[in-house]
Amino acid sequence: MTDKAAGETGVEGPEQLRRQIEQTRSELGDTVEELAGKMDVKGRARARAADLRDKAGAMTVQLRSTAAQAGHTVQERATKAGHRVQDTATRAGHQAHDRALKAGHTAQDRTTRTRHTLEDRAEHGMPWPAGPVVKAAVRNPRPALLIGAAVLAIAVVSWRYPKK
C-alpha cells in the first residue's frame, strides 16, 4: 500500500507542479498586462479624455434640459402676468365706462330738471312777450344761441361804430 501511495503521490506531484506553474504563468501574464497598461500613458490619457468627453456631453444635455425648463417657466410666468395685466386693464376700463355713464346720466337728469324749471318759470313767472320766447329758447337751444350771438354782434358793432 505504501508503494501505491508513494506512486500516486509521485504521479500527482509532477501534475500538480505543472498546474501551479500554469497558474503562476497566468497570474504573471495578468500582472504584466496591468503593468503594461499603467506604462501606456497615451492609452490612459485617451481613455481619460474619452471619459471626460462623455461626462461633458452628459452635462451639456443636462444644462440644455435645465435651460429649456427655465425658459418654459419664464414664458409661463410672463403669460400669467400678461393675463393679470389684461384683466386689471379690462376691469379698469369697465369701471371708467360705468363712471362716465353715471356722470352722463347725472348731467342729463340735471339738464332735464333745469329745463323743466325754466319752462315753468317762463309759463308762469314772465310777462307775455318774454315767456313764449324763453320757452322756445329752452326747447330749441341751438337756434336761440345763434340768434342771441347775432343780436350781441349787432349790439357790439353799433356801439363800437355809432352813426354820425
Side-chain angles (χ1 to χ4, degrees):
M1 243 180 137
T2 53
D3 286 338
K4 270 188 175 182
E8 287 177 12
T9 307
V11 173
E12 285 185 21
E15 242 350 273
Q16 189 177 9
L17 281 175
R18 282 188 194 119
R19 275 189 249 131
Q20 284 179 353
I21 289 171
E22 194 59 40
Q23 184 180 359
T24 304
R25 279 184 186 164
S26 175
E27 289 175 5
L28 183 61
D30 291 343
T31 305
V32 169
E33 267 186 49
E34 282 183 38
L35 287 174
K38 286 184 180 180
M39 295 303 289
D40 184 17
V41 176
K42 271 188 184 179
R44 285 178 38 206
R46 284 184 192 134
R48 179 76 175 141
D51 287 345
L52 290 176
R53 265 194 304 273
D54 291 344
K55 284 182 183 178
M59 285 178 105
T60 301
V61 169
Q62 185 179 5
L63 287 174
R64 283 183 181 167
S65 173
T66 304
Q69 198 173 23
H72 290 303
T73 302
V74 167
Q75 184 178 11
E76 184 179 311
R77 288 182 181 172
T79 301
K80 285 181 182 178
H83 288 304
R84 281 194 301 266
V85 167
Q86 187 177 12
D87 291 344
T88 303
T90 301
R91 271 187 263 126
H94 288 305
Q95 287 176 352
H97 177 262
D98 291 344
R99 288 179 185 160
L101 194 61
K102 186 176 179 180
H105 286 305
T106 303
Q108 190 175 15
D109 291 344
R110 286 182 183 170
T111 304
T112 303
R113 280 194 308 253
T114 303
R115 188 180 110 216
H116 289 305
T117 303
L118 288 175
E119 284 178 355
D120 287 346
R121 286 184 185 168
E123 280 186 31
H124 302 293
M126 291 191 176
W128 176 80
V133 172
V134 171
K135 194 173 180 182
V138 168
R139 287 187 183 151
N140 302 309
R142 285 188 184 153
L145 287 173
L146 289 174
I147 292 170
V151 169
L152 182 64
I154 291 171
V156 168
V157 168
S158 12
W159 174 74
R160 183 99 164 118
Y161 306 104
K163 288 188 179 177
K164 295 182 186 182

